[in-house]
Amino acid sequence: MLLSGKARLAGVVGWPVAHSLSPRLHGHWFARYRIDGAYVPLAVRPEDLELAFRALPRLGFLGWNVTIPHKERAFALVHRRDAAAERMRAVNTVLVHQDGTLEGRNTDGAGFWAHLLAEYPDFDPRSGPTLVLGAGGAARAVACALLDAGCPLLRLANRTAARAAALAADLDALFPGRLAVLSWPPPAEALGDLALLVNATSLGMEGQPPLALDLAPLPQAAIVADLVYVPLETELLRAARARGLRTLDGLGMLIHQAVPGFSFWGGRIPEVDAAVRDCLLEVLHPTG
Ligand code: ATR
């Protein structure tokens, strides 16, 4: 690590923050490009968040990422936000501008979209409906990105129906007539014409039950995406692969959502390639 008195500083603010992969990810890029700088975990209690947002720029930080549980509060603590943050009412990236003002961005949806296009450049979001499972922040980010990209019909299904209905109503105001709410679990008929299926629930995550969904009705051209990345290959993705369907795992979104932040505090656009994936896989699946 290169670290002088002029080092570029950034970090991730969360509580707890120990689970975050962001220090590893940004640290990899700082090292790879031999940038004089550091990206550190910042464990900030909810009651200290405002103080941290005022202090970090004064301590010389160029920016920071925001993770659970601070993304919604962070929205209120920045001076301005990009369109994605406005839609999400949540901020995952804060940039400190030269005049000291804070810009809040939300790069989750764009991260998902960038990963999807990197893996499947021919994917056309207009080619059919998408089904998003879940109604939390991750589901909202993915749904916004896909509707933005031209998805003609976005179906939402969530265990708690009221949350899916609320999310659909919110999105309908932005993308009128393109939302449909399904029951939980989604009925087989809702799978037959899909271009894309996205799991944005925590089902399938280590310690959680798997997402039990019969993929037989999916068209052969459909892509199955899972935002879960521990484990990297969920039951859902395994079942999709067994059927010869194209799949997208959750790690790529995590890497791609980090690109705008690093471009700012690292001063160059970082590459998303096998090396950065491997450096995260080393901590997710340590061998020996
Ligand atoms: P995030 O912000 O990462 O999206 P979240 O808001 O906690 O996280 O959302 C988790 C999602 O997983 C929710 O859609 C949740 O469904 P509920 O809204 O009904 O809670 C879904 N989820 C979690 N456990 C589930 C389970 N056992 N069965 C079905 N859905 C589940």
Side-chain angles (χ1 to χ4, degrees):
M1 182 164 61
L2 283 170
L3 213 50
S4 79
K6 295 177 294 188
R8 306 172 77 103
L9 299 177
V12 54
V13 171
W15 184 262
V17 80
H19 66 281
S20 175
L21 289 175
S22 293
R24 178 93 181 175
L25 173 56
H26 290 267
H28 169 88
W29 282 328
F30 269 118
R32 184 200 291 200
Y33 301 121
R34 302 187 54 75
I35 294 168
D36 177 16
Y39 182 103
V40 294
L42 297 159
V44 176
R45 288 187 167 81
E47 61 269 31
D48 294 331
L49 191 67
E50 191 175 346
L51 182 64
F53 271 51
R54 278 192 274 128
L56 285 168
R58 291 174 173 81
L59 293 169
F61 277 69
L62 296 174
W64 55 91
N65 289 115
V66 182
T67 187
I68 290 168
H70 298 320
K71 290 185 187 186
E72 284 79 18
R73 279 277 314 290
F75 179 85
L77 294 176
V78 294
H79 301 100
R80 59 184 188 276
R81 305 120 185 161
D82 72 352
E86 291 288 354
R87 278 180 186 170
M88 298 284 302
R89 291 192 289 278
V91 155
N92 74 346
T93 305
V94 177
L95 311 180
V96 181
H97 288 287
Q98 288 202 330
D99 60 1
T101 57
L102 305 183
E103 178 190 344
R105 295 192 185 177
N106 196 306
T107 64
D108 284 335
F112 174 79
W113 180 243
H115 178 43
L116 179 56
L117 278 200
E119 292 295 311
Y120 303 112
D122 297 337
F123 175 72
D124 179 0
R126 291 160 302 185
S127 63
T130 287
L131 170 56
V132 173
L133 307 175
R140 179 184 290 264
V142 166
C144 278
L146 290 167
L147 288 162
D148 249 344
C151 167
L153 177 62
L154 196 128
R155 299 185 179 129
L156 281 171
N158 191 53
R159 174 180 62 180
T160 308
R163 281 187 91 195
L167 176 56
D170 247 28
L171 296 175
D172 193 64
L174 297 165
F175 306 98
R178 290 158 68 189
L179 279 301
V181 179
L182 309 179
S183 53
W184 181 267
E189 312 85 82
L191 270 64
D193 57 352
L194 291 184
L196 177 66
L197 168 72
V198 185
N199 175 36
T201 73
S202 45
L203 288 173
M205 202 180 275
E206 209 168 72
Q208 299 276 326
L211 172 64
L213 188 65
D214 179 12
L215 302 182
L218 281 178
Q220 210 51 43
I223 295 174
V224 176
D226 204 328
L227 304 191
V228 169
Y229 55 82
V230 182
L232 196 59
E233 181 167 73
T234 58
E235 288 294 325
L236 175 72
L237 294 186
R238 207 192 316 275
R241 239 167 249 164
R243 299 198 143 268
L245 299 168
R246 295 179 294 169
T247 61
L248 193 71
D249 68 47
L251 196 55
M253 174 173 170
L254 177 84
I255 301 171
H256 280 280
Q257 64 76 30
V259 168
F262 186 87
S263 302
F264 187 82
W265 48 70
R268 61 168 292 165
I269 299 171
E271 278 154 280
V272 177
D273 58 9
V276 67
R277 242 180 106 83
D278 288 348
C279 106
L280 295 180
L281 286 174
E282 255 174 47
V283 275
L284 290 174
H285 302 285
T287 50

